[in-house]
Structures are given as C-alpha cells and as structure tokens.
Amino acid sequence: MKRYWLLLSLSLLTIGCSTTESNVSEKRTFYMGVTPWPADFTSAEIDSAYQFINHHCDIVSHHFDDGVPYEEAYNNQPMPTELQQEVQNRISRTAVGKKILLSVAPLNLTRTHKADYYLHSTIDATIKTNWESLPSNHPHVVIAYVKYMSWLIDSFHPNYINYGVESNSAQFNTADFINYKDFLAQVFSQLKTLYPNIPLFVSFMVDESDAGYTNAEQLLPYTDYVALSAYPYVGISSSSNGSTNPALFPANYFEKYIAIAPKPFVIAETGYIAENLIVPSYSINKQGTMAWQNDYLEKISQLCSTHQAKFMIWFCSKDYDAGVATLQSLGLFQDLFLLWQDTGLKDPSGHPRPSYHTWLNWMAKDKI
C-alpha cells in the first residue's frame, strides 16, 4: 500500500464495544484485521484506529511503506530515531494476543523500482544517493534489506511476514524485474534460514493483465502463501463505464490467482470505495456507494471462507479525508493517496457504514 507513515506518538484509550449477535453455529477460518492507518495524524484519530483493532479485529497488519534505512541496516547502526519510536508505539498500542502480520515494501510507490531511502533518515544526502543508485539485487542492498527485515521481525515477533508488498506489477521493465526476482530469491533464502517457522511471502496485485499474472507465476518459488492485494474498483474491466458494482466483476477474477499454486491463501490487503472517486491526474472517474462497498466486503469474506483463507486485511477502518489535508499541509501529499481515501468502514465523521456492521457480523463468528 502506498502511503507515508508519520511519527505516531499517542496514548491508548480504553473503550467499551458492542458486537452484533451471530448464529453460534457459524464459523470462519480466517483472521480479520486492518492496519493502524488513521483518519488523521492526531492523538484522537490514532487512538481510534487502535481501538478498532483492539476491539474488532483478531489480527493487525503493521505495514511499512516509507523506504528502507539502507546505510543504518547494512552497518548495524541504530535505526533512525523516528523509526524506532514508531515501532515502539505500534507495539505498545497493539493489544496482547493479536496475531501480527508484518508487511514491508522493498519497492517504492511505483511498485516497479527499488524502495527509496527511509523518509525520516538523517543520513547524509550523498550516502542516500549512492544507495538509491544501486540495482535492487546488488549484494549490499540484499544484505541491508535482510538486516532491516530482521530488526523488524525481532521487534514485532510476527506470526506472518510479507517481505515483498505488491511484487508483480505488469508495468515492470523486463531487466528490472529480473533483478528484482533475484533480490527476492536471495532475501527469501536468507530469511527462511533465520526464521524457518514463520510463513514468508510476497503479495500479488490482482488484475486482469497477462503480464501481472506471469510475473506472479515467476515469483512462486519465493513465497509460502498465495497472498493477494486487491482494490478492484480502480482498474477492473467491469468498471470501465464508471460503475464499481461488485456484481459485475468478471468471472474468476480472484479465483484465477487463488488457483495459481497449491499453497495457503490470504488477502494481504484490500478495500473498496463507498463514495465516488474522481482523480483527474490519473484519469479516474468511478462511482462508489456504501451498498457496493458492503457487497464487496461480503464477497471477499465469502471468498475467504470458501477457500479457507488464513487471514484477510482491510486497509483502513475510517476514511482519511482529514489525513489528506494534513499531508497536503506538510508537503507530503500525492494524488495517489486519494485512491483509498474513502474505503473506510466508517465515514469521515466516524459514522458506521453498512460494511462496518457486516464486519462485526463476520467477526462474531467463531474462529476455527
């Protein structure tokens, strides 16, 4: 997922919660969770994001997508202060007993190039430039990334590790993809040796392109799970006229990827718009409704049930319109961030959408 994390210093609030009654005979095979991505970068909204996790989820996705501290990791130096504080904040705010998914992006926001240098590092600019000039499979890059991953793993003690967020872009340059595939092969082998008992995987963006599917096939030796990243409303063929009604999805849209290999299946991240999405810079004009969002959540939950998924991650629990304004004021905003702004289970004012209640209904099922 494609967002810059800001330093999150906050205090956890304890709130009461209510759940919707469910048929006690109903079961679910998969854990349900979100990331702590907040509606705005304020203590109140960050608290609210963790309240949802701690009361209405049984897994949390700690997602890191703001670059890699290559120099610090490679030389075993202390990690950047802001990164250390962010990690400790996440750990301290997550309730004991939650399953942990650690998701880290070795690619930058384009998902076709090596990750940029960590956003908040104070390392000299010349050193950053030198690192950014190296190909993704350079031995130093591989060593730095493995050490960075190891630091995060040893900090979070995750149950699941996505070490290659969204790795199969159809837009990859052929030579760059060959280098990246070599990078993943080396990282997978080394992390497997270090952490043999934790599932390691890369995630695949679901689309209808032959190139994206072929790239995913080539990465199967380096993943324990078939892990999907899906935001279909952006580019699915059934939305070419603007309608994002999930009932119109082409047949086997998800099933094709689920069947790509006889490996356990997970939804590493997903979401769906509940409002219209208009982003002229990306030539996007899509119709979104709360009803269609709810239909999509039900569809993806049923899919997870049918195929006995291990877990399903919905990216954010509340719309982040206010967060977009904050990012704009800080000079960190990109139009790209608008693509997921209105995918919350709650609207910008915090009012539950129908999808929120559907989420509670599924959460109320006994996990087996």
Side-chain angles (χ1 to χ4, degrees), residues 167-208:
S167 288
N168 66 315
S169 174
Q171 278 67 54
F172 248 119
N173 171 278
T174 301
D176 288 341
F177 185 71
I178 290 172
N179 287 345
Y180 181 60
K181 183 167 61 171
D182 181 45
F183 163 85
L184 292 179
Q186 295 182 65
V187 172
F188 182 73
S189 176
Q190 293 182 39
L191 288 178
K192 264 297 177 188
T193 299
L194 293 169
Y195 306 98
N197 298 319
I198 307 177
L200 288 166
F201 54 89
V202 299
S203 56
F204 303 143
M205 293 180 283
V206 180
D207 68 16
E208 297 165 83

Side-chain angles (χ1 to χ4, degrees), residues 79-144:
M79 291 295 172
T81 300
E82 290 200 21
L83 179 59
Q84 292 187 52
Q85 292 176 337
E86 179 183 346
V87 167
Q88 289 307 310
N89 281 331
R90 289 178 184 233
I91 292 170
S92 65
R93 305 314 180 222
T94 303
V96 174
K98 300 297 176 187
K99 297 295 182 181
I100 304 293
L101 165 63
L102 174 63
S103 291
V104 186
L107 297 169
N108 67 13
L109 300 182
T110 68
R111 295 300 189 247
T112 59
H113 295 287
K114 184 175 98 270
D116 301 329
Y117 210 98
Y118 175 66
L119 179 65
H120 301 297
S121 175
T122 57
I123 286 290
D124 182 79
T126 301
I127 295 176
K128 292 181 180 179
T129 299
N130 289 340
W131 276 102
E132 290 175 349
S133 70
L134 298 177
S136 61
N137 64 336
H138 190 283
H140 290 180
V141 174
V142 173
I143 291 170

